[in-house]
Amino acid sequence: MNKNIERLVNGLWKENPTFVLMLGMCPTLAVTTSAINGIGMGLSTTVVLVLSNIMISALRNLIPDRVRMPAFIVVVASFVTIVQFLMQGFTPSLYASLGIYIPLIVVNCIILGRAESYASKNPVIPSLFDGVGMGLGFTVGLTFIGIVREVLGNGSVFDIAIKPLNDYHITLFGLAPGAFIVLGFLVAVMNVVRRKMEAKGRPLPEVQGCLAGDCTTCTLSTACTGKSMVHVKPEEIPVNPKDVAKPVPNTNVEVKHADNQHNTEDVEEAGRASSYADEMLEGKGEDE
Amino acid sequence: MSYFTGLILLLVASAIVNNVVLSQFLGLCPFLGVSKKVETAAGMGGAVIFVITIASFVASLIYKYVLAPTGFEYMQTIVFILVIAALVQFVEMFLKKSVPALYESLGVYLPLITTNCAVLGTAINNVTNNYDILESVINGFGVAVGFTIAIVIMAGIREKIEYNDIPETFKGSAIVLITAGLMAMAFLGFSGVI
């Protein structure tokens, strides 16, 4: 039981997907025009996350390693379709305001990321709590950003007008630019928190998603296509020295999977590249 | 308004007025991740144009001739994501074998596109807006051009930002997001055009 509570705390606090790992930025920016939209999106993602975690964890010994990503995607997409129908039936106004972002839950980094890094390796019950923790953490994050944007952009919280603010609201924060700017300041605040925590000797887990500054860290791009980015030129590797110094905690696991799935061509190519590099080095040596 | 004028308006609307990144927040991952250099950004843009245009065509074809006649419209999310994933793999293999020159320049970016929500988002949008196949292709092309415009401008700005003295706290992705906010503000000016 202890482990389950640890998973809950982990998702809500230690590895909060919005504030700490910075995953799932598309919906974070898109639907947080108001607090209620944030809660709606967060909860629907939570439902999908919990159900897909349970299903994937239950099937983890049946799914062959080579086809696990397509299998995960089918599982997630099925649950998204179910949730979409339920929302269409029971919360039509929320369904209308979230629009296209509901089917796009399928490509949310958090869900496939948890499936890949947790549910596919752990028993059902901890996976369930992992899903609940991560989902609620995401919901809290979206609601918080939603509240900030609604207060600034509309002068209200949960559609209840705040009297003096209501007269001076800045409509921009309800629109697209406001989303980027609010998130930018959130990242800046988290940078300060990160530095404080590091000074205390308790560093936060690294940013994992797109905001890490390069797509190769995203669990999905590698895992989905089954190849690591061997072609990537050195200059595309993140310039931020912090990102380079400390790899994402579960990198080892991913690398292992990626290795299994390398195309033979890729491996050959990598081999050729390295032997070529060796030749270059030897040549250089002879010159000297 | 003739059908043809409608197509041109649709192209402008999807490329600039409703810019996919700056007003719809789709495709943010590559937008933030691959925008450090103008050349890489342009390469990514090229790959996205290629993939989204083909994916819109194939997705609307499948919707019209497979899903709609059999009454399986509700399977669109599952079918589209699998079709897109398979398509990207297929495009990659095809380019590798037949057009090695193009593969050299776009190949790096293709695997990144599978989970790009802009591709799935465009396919679903085409269906939701009841576009026919030609309109879907035009819309997909427009969306991708809009993405390319946004990411290339962003890369240009980021190359300049490298030399600026930014507050320590805002270094990294924070300043990039705020820059994106300012760009979105500029693109907001197009909202009354069509």
Side-chain angles (χ1 to χ4, degrees):
Chain A
M1 204 62 215
N2 223 357
K3 196 183 175 192
N4 298 336
I5 293 166
E6 185 263 319
R7 287 326 297 173
L8 274 181
V9 176
N10 183 57
L12 271 170
W13 186 250
K14 266 199 328 224
E15 286 190 11
N16 186 298
T18 306
F19 298 126
V20 181
L21 300 183
M22 303 262 172
L23 287 171
M25 284 300 135
C26 278
T28 306
L29 287 168
V31 302
T32 51
T33 45
S34 68
I36 198 78
N37 278 358
I39 288 194
M41 186 69 199
L43 288 183
S44 37
T45 310
T46 308
V47 171
V48 175
L49 182 57
V50 171
L51 292 177
S52 66
N53 259 9
I54 294 174
M55 184 66 112
I56 286 166
S57 165
L59 294 177
R60 70 185 185 283
N61 295 327
L62 294 176
I63 300 175
D65 202 41
R66 286 184 76 81
V67 295
R68 69 187 191 293
M69 265 298 150
F72 294 170
I73 289 178
V74 171
V75 169
V76 175
S78 315
F79 284 124
V80 167
T81 310
I82 293 169
V83 166
Q84 193 178 352
F85 276 121
L86 289 177
M87 289 180 75
Q88 205 169 2
F90 292 104
T91 54
S93 63
L94 187 64
Y95 178 79
S97 64
L98 295 183
I100 190 171
Y101 299 101
I102 300 172
L104 288 181
I105 294 176
V106 180
V107 282
N108 190 326
C109 282
I110 300 176
I111 295 179
L112 283 179
R114 289 328 284 177
E116 168 78 1
S117 67
Y118 196 86
S120 62
K121 301 185 184 66
N122 289 284
V124 175
I125 301 293
S127 300
L128 178 137
F129 280 94
D130 184 70
V132 173
M134 278 285 161
L136 290 182
F138 188 56
T139 311
V140 169
L142 287 194
T143 313
F144 174 75
I145 299 177
I147 289 174
V148 170
R149 283 183 65 192
E150 202 181 340
V151 167
L152 290 172
N154 200 27
S156 61
V157 177
F158 292 106
D159 289 334
I160 302 161
I162 305 170
K163 205 72 209 133
L165 270 177
N166 204 11
D167 299 334
Y168 300 102
H169 65 85
I170 313 160
T171 317
L172 188 75
F173 280 98
L175 303 172
F180 284 111
I181 292 171
V182 168
L183 191 68
F185 275 92
L186 177 69
V187 172
V189 170
M190 285 314 292
N191 280 346
V192 176
V193 175
R194 256 163 215 290
R195 218 169 309 132
K196 289 243 163 85
M197 292 300 279
E198 240 161 74
K200 276 186 193 167
R202 283 183 299 161
L204 294 176
E206 277 304 315
V207 173
Q208 279 186 1
C210 333
L211 290 184
D214 108 293
C215 284
T216 50
T217 54
C218 183
T219 33
L220 302 181
S221 62
T222 322
C224 258
T225 54
K227 31 185 96 139
S228 60
M229 304 291 293
V230 279
H231 322 276
V232 177
K233 293 167 206 132
E235 70 259 23
E236 282 164 24
I237 287 163
V239 284
N240 189 350
K242 268 202 315 201
D243 294 345
V244 182
K246 275 181 248 105
V248 192
N250 49 15
T251 315
N252 293 334
V253 182
E254 278 155 28
V255 168
K256 200 179 78 199
H257 279 309
D259 281 342
N260 291 344
Q261 296 228 334
H262 267 178
N263 283 353
T264 40
E265 283 112 326
D266 281 347
V267 176
E268 269 170 31
E269 205 169 287
R272 232 180 295 133
S274 66
S275 62
Y276 181 63
D278 288 345
E279 277 167 31
M280 292 277 284
L281 281 178
E282 280 163 20
K284 214 173 168 185
E286 279 163 22
D287 282 350
E288 281 165 3
Chain B
M1 194 172 68
S2 73
Y3 182 68
F4 188 67
T5 329
L7 286 185
I8 291 176
L9 285 184
L10 178 65
L11 183 65
V12 176
S14 55
I16 294 173
V17 181
N18 300 318
N19 188 285
V20 62
V21 183
L22 297 172
S23 76
Q24 298 188 49
F25 310 106
L26 302 179
L28 268 179
C29 235
F31 178 70
L32 300 172
V34 201
S35 59
K36 288 209 180 77
K37 282 188 172 320
V38 174
E39 294 92 54
T40 13
M44 185 72 195
V48 166
I49 292 181
F50 202 74
V51 169
I52 293 193
T53 313
I54 297 177
S56 317
F57 175 67
V58 174
S60 63
L61 210 63
I62 287 180
Y63 188 80
K64 191 169 176 197
Y65 292 108
V66 179
L67 294 184
T70 49
F72 275 117
E73 282 99 337
Y74 64 90
M75 293 286 281
Q76 51 164 319
T77 315
I78 305 176
V79 172
F80 285 177
I81 184 98
L82 290 178
V83 164
I84 289 166
L87 188 77
V88 173
Q89 292 277 358
F90 184 74
V91 165
E92 198 181 354
M93 284 192 303
F94 174 77
L95 286 184
K96 205 170 187 176
K97 290 275 180 292
S98 327
V99 203
L102 195 60
Y103 180 77
E104 280 295 304
S105 51
L106 300 186
V108 181
Y109 310 104
L110 286 173
L112 289 178
I113 298 176
T114 320
T115 49
N116 185 339
C117 45
V119 187
L120 181 62
T122 312
I124 293 175
N125 257 340
N126 287 337
V127 170
T128 335
N129 293 335
N130 288 323
Y131 290 149
D132 63 24
I133 291 175
L134 183 59
E135 281 172 332
S136 302
V137 174
I138 297 282
N139 184 45
F141 179 72
V143 164
V145 168
F147 176 84
T148 311
I149 294 174
I151 197 173
V152 170
I153 295 177
M154 185 50 147
I157 297 175
R158 279 182 80 171
E159 282 185 358
K160 292 275 179 288
I161 286 182
E162 289 288 307
Y163 302 107
N164 287 355
D165 188 19
I166 313 160
E168 189 61 35
T169 319
F170 281 88
K171 276 187 181 152
S173 47
I175 192 73
V176 176
L177 282 167
I178 290 174
T179 314
L182 296 176
M183 279 171 68
M185 226 183 276
F187 272 76
L188 212 56
F190 290 112
S191 57
V193 173
I194 290 177

